Amino acid sequence: MAVEEEGLRVFQSVKIKIGEAKNIPPYPGPNRMRDCYCTVNLDQEEVFRTKIIEKSLCPFYGEDFYCEIPRSFRHLSFYIFDRDVFRRDSSIGKVAVKKEDLQKYHGKDTWFQLQPVSADSEVQGKVHLELRLSEVITDSGVINHKLATRVLECQGLPIVNGQCDPYAAVSLLGPSRSEAKKTKVKRKTNNPQFEEVFYFEVTRPLSYTKRQFDVEEEDVDKLALRVDLWNASNLKFGDEFLGGVRVPLRVLGQAGVHDAWYFLQPRENGGKSVKVEELGSLRLNIVYTEDHVFPSEHYTPLRDLLLHSANVEPVSASTAHILGEVCREKQEAAIPLVRLFLHYGKIVPFISAIAHAEVNRTQDPNTIFRGNSLTSKCIDETMKLAGMHYLQVTLKPIIDEICTEHKPCEIDPVKLKESENLETNRENLRHYVDRIFNVITTSGIRCPTVMCDIFFSLRESAATRFQVDQDVRYTAVSSFIFLRFFAPAILSPNLFHLRPHHPDPATSRTLTLISKTIQTLGSLAKSKSANFKESYMAAFYDYFNEQKYADAVKNFLDLISTSGKWDQKSIETPIMLKEGFMIKRAQGRNRFGMKNFKKRWFRLTNHEFTYHKTKGEGALCSIPIENILAVERLEEESFKMKNMFQVIQPERALYIQANNCVEARDWIDILTKVSQCNRKRLSTYHPSAYLNGHWLCCKFSADTAPGCTPCTGSLPANIQLDVDGDRETERIYSLFNTYMTKLIKMQEACGSKSVYDGPEQEEYSSFVIDDPQETYKTLKQIVLAVQTLEQQHTKYKRDKFKKTKIGSQEHPIGDKSFQCYIRQQSGSSTYSI
């Protein structure tokens, strides 16, 4: 989800590899082992949870998580929890990385020490304060100074035990005084509007003696204001601390007025003293990306260069190919290139061009497409994007069955457990391999058109280049569809969204054995046994050493490499797109129906949106996709609940609460995409609920009143290829800008090749340059386009810097920005934001 900033959109995303934890403190009992899981949190909102690793003090998770971040946040946090025998969860420790520090760890495997978890340190949100110092003349003619403190509002306070009933405690602190006052409690809101003013005497009253005052308190600089936010609790344990700020009165300056937003901070020394090393550590790899996307016209020069790549002769002189040459990893270039070309419908000619060039450089047909080239990486990414739902409908049912049944399939005699029988295990494994092989080789009709067109191109190029080898037209395609698509998806179903988590070790071993066998079956290698280093695998493969398996593979490859013959839209089988538990508001279909909230299992296919009492039970309600008129967020004030959205139907709206902000955005996105082509889609909607006989947003009393707010902008109807072309071009610009020195070096290499027709200079040998003059011409255009965009980014940053006011709602004062604020107030420009 993009945040709009004066014609510019800002996207945030994070990709996390949760590796392992080590040296977790043992459980205080005879067992000592723990059952631990790890959560990912935006501030205090959980957005992902790993599976539980049982009986370990050094749990290995090996899980990946990616999400588009739909809101502002201060910390990316990771919590380690322990689940005891009574299924109670207790926190062991946490890692909290400030947003501004994420770049320090970008893309690096890093061990983080776990910190203690304390209620006093779990803080989020901000508060708006106004301070005013004024002179008051008393009846005796003495001038006193009074401080008027106005607590206006807070935003984003945490929800504690399912509720937030906040109030503020305001204190004036000095060397010899501490006065405290409280606001009223605001019920059921984490964005309270207080609008209360408190007055504090600043000058020493005449009634006090010098003995009572150790210092002259007329010096305002020695005073500070403390504002603490609390959650009013009905529990016997007392109110919960939500965060606080300490504002030195020197911020008032000569004007005597101060109006600013502050980030709430943890309580000083609030946590218990715990030795950090006792809590263990957590290995993480964090990639945080922030894309600043300008209006589309800014990207026209670079975008045109990229999209013209397939027409450049030779293709190695094209902009897209050059990106692959200068990037450190081909994957870096492939991801945005594929998304951009898919968006503009030009992926097939581009991949055909670079694949044809690679085939012509290949000397041995047995090594065709076996390297990590730009071609291979681009085809991998295309299959992941275009083929995700193909994988879902083909493999997910059988993978789910394997992960649920836990049948023993170990066939290595050395690893066999005493209770297991080798022949039984072989039979179990053979059964699974046969079923997966059959679902794959009979799935050709479902293969997406774009993949079929690419495979057709690979087949033609390979057959033309190696006319003597009759099998190369098959191996060119099988090297992708089997080796780089089906086999990896079986091996790691969590990475292909076939399972929510990494399988347990026993199931993972089963999937490894299946993946190896399927990979070999699909490779059509001349000597099957030679593919296996292990004798037990070679012996197992003898079960499948029959001509019918090779024939089935060839028939399948023939079918999916026939250009344009099949259209994915002709598939009649429902494709499961998303499912999970959420909370819905009962619709109260009859007049006296209860409209309370209930937890239900929701399931979305390309045919219908249903909810069930639990997973696997019959549907309680089914909404055909064609009946979805709009999918929009629901304002929080409707039910005092966060992360709500509405699925609008002809008769009524279904109100649903997701578990967190990321999940809410995912459901809204996919529901919107799958229903985008419905003919009766609404253009306006009600952003709030219909309650107590009227719409909360526009106050109309008729429940059939037309919407009062325009629906969000239309999105592409194609579910799996929803791409923002400008954002991908921005990412490609960022890559070119990062590797500008390599672009310059490549220009030098072109010049060297043009004037010196001798042995290649070693420093330039890493670049593929078939035509130095054409490549140099393209490089010159790239550098110009990148420099123009860089100037626009620099201007944007400079203008934003000038407009940024620390203390505003967008840039609250934090624990590190107070001195920046003071310098800003005094007119200095030496600080950085």
Side-chain angles (χ1 to χ4, degrees), residues 684-726:
T684 59
Y685 77 107
H686 293 282
S688 291
Y690 183 80
L691 293 173
N692 303 321
H694 68 274
W695 292 100
L696 297 181
C697 42
C698 57
K699 308 305 180 188
F700 285 151
S701 57
D703 60 353
T704 55
C708 57
T709 302
C711 288
T712 51
S714 60
L715 295 166
N718 195 330
I719 298 165
Q720 67 269 42
L721 305 184
D722 176 30
V723 174
D724 186 322
D726 295 335

Side-chain angles (χ1 to χ4, degrees), residues 34-154:
R34 292 186 184 268
D35 298 342
C36 296
Y37 64 89
C38 178
T39 68
V40 181
N41 295 53
L42 293 175
D43 295 321
Q44 287 176 250
E45 182 180 13
E46 181 183 317
V47 295
F48 178 73
R49 178 181 295 200
T50 69
K51 66 176 182 179
I52 297 173
I53 304 298
E54 298 180 345
K55 299 177 182 177
S56 175
L57 299 180
C58 296
F60 177 81
Y61 298 105
E63 297 205 30
D64 296 302
F65 172 64
Y66 172 85
C67 77
E68 297 283 336
I69 300 175
R71 62 169 177 82
S72 59
F73 69 101
R74 290 172 65 188
H75 293 89
L76 184 64
S77 303
F78 305 84
Y79 291 77
I80 299 290
F81 286 92
D82 175 39
R83 176 164 290 182
D84 64 18
V85 291
F86 303 105
R87 299 186 67 80
R88 295 174 304 194
D89 296 347
S90 57
S91 57
I92 295 173
K94 71 173 182 180
V95 171
V97 185
K98 290 185 177 179
K99 180 181 177 180
E100 57 266 29
D101 293 336
L102 287 170
Q103 285 302 321
K104 294 181 188 175
Y105 310 106
H106 186 84
K108 302 172 188 172
D109 268 11
T110 307
W111 282 98
F112 293 89
Q113 291 287 341
L114 289 172
Q115 304 296 322
V117 177
S118 158
D120 291 330
S121 68
E122 301 302 290
V123 168
Q124 66 183 55
K126 53 192 176 183
V127 61
H128 187 190
L129 303 174
E130 183 185 285
L131 282 61
R132 188 179 298 272
L133 192 65
S134 56
E135 293 181 347
V136 179
I137 302 176
T138 64
D139 294 340
S140 59
V142 177
I143 298 176
N144 284 348
H145 289 86
K146 284 201 171 183
L147 176 69
T149 301
R150 188 177 173 207
V151 183
L152 291 94
E153 61 179 311
C154 292

Side-chain angles (χ1 to χ4, degrees), residues 99 166 226 237 244 281 293 306 313 320 429 434 437 452 457 571 641 688 698 703 730 735 782 785 806-807 821 830:
K99 180 181 177 180
R226 177 84 198 178
F237 303 110
S281 53
V293 182
L306 288 160
E313 287 287 346
L429 185 62
D434 255 328
F437 179 80
C452 293
S457 175
I571 302 171
M641 295 167 69
S688 291
C698 57
D703 60 353
E730 166 66 26
L735 287 171
I782 293 170
I806 297 180
Y821 174 80
T830 57

Side-chain angles (χ1 to χ4, degrees), residues 29-30 145 216 286 317 339 458 485 527 539 542 570 584 611 621 703 794:
H145 289 86
E216 293 287 333
I286 304 170
R339 294 176 69 87
L458 300 182
F485 187 62
S527 174
D542 286 340
S570 66
K584 74 161 199 68
Y611 61 78
C621 175
D703 60 353
T794 303

Side-chain angles (χ1 to χ4, degrees), residues 209-378:
T209 65
K210 285 187 178 180
R211 189 174 179 183
Q212 291 173 298
F213 273 71
D214 295 329
V215 296
E216 293 287 333
E217 291 210 10
E218 287 85 350
D219 186 358
V220 175
D221 283 355
K222 295 178 181 175
L223 300 177
L225 188 79
R226 177 84 198 178
V227 179
D228 290 330
L229 273 297
W230 295 83
N231 181 47
S233 174
N234 296 322
L235 302 174
K236 61 182 180 180
F237 303 110
D239 298 346
E240 294 99 352
F241 177 73
L242 301 179
V245 295
R246 187 178 186 277
V247 185
L249 293 198
R250 68 175 182 273
V251 299
L252 292 165
Q254 293 183 351
V257 179
H258 173 68
D259 183 344
W261 284 83
Y262 281 84
F263 278 127
L264 294 175
Q265 303 296 333
R267 188 149 49 175
E268 295 173 2
N269 301 319
K272 298 177 182 178
S273 57
V274 178
K275 290 184 181 179
V276 172
E277 61 268 20
E278 291 180 358
L279 298 178
S281 53
L282 179 65
R283 180 165 62 88
L284 300 167
N285 188 307
I286 304 170
V287 176
Y288 171 72
T289 307
E290 201 170 274
D291 297 321
H292 293 76
V293 182
F294 290 108
S296 189
E297 60 270 17
H298 290 73
Y299 298 103
T300 301
L302 182 57
R303 183 173 55 238
D304 288 351
L305 279 173
L306 288 160
L307 295 178
H308 185 61
S309 294
N311 303 320
V312 175
E313 287 287 346
V315 73
S316 61
S318 69
T319 304
H321 194 278
I322 287 171
L323 181 67
E325 290 298 296
V326 298
C327 283
R328 186 178 70 247
E329 302 284 345
K330 303 293 184 189
Q331 184 89 352
E332 275 186 305
I335 293 173
L337 283 175
V338 165
R339 294 176 69 87
L340 181 74
F341 282 108
L342 274 170
H343 179 68
Y344 288 101
K346 297 194 173 186
I347 190 66
V348 175
F350 169 64
I351 287 183
S352 297
I354 59 174
H356 185 70
E358 182 174 331
V359 168
N360 287 340
R361 285 195 293 268
T362 304
Q363 300 302 316
D364 183 354
N366 293 317
T367 62
I368 194 164
F369 299 127
R370 292 301 170 96
N372 287 322
S373 63
L374 183 63
T375 305
S376 298
K377 291 299 181 184
C378 282

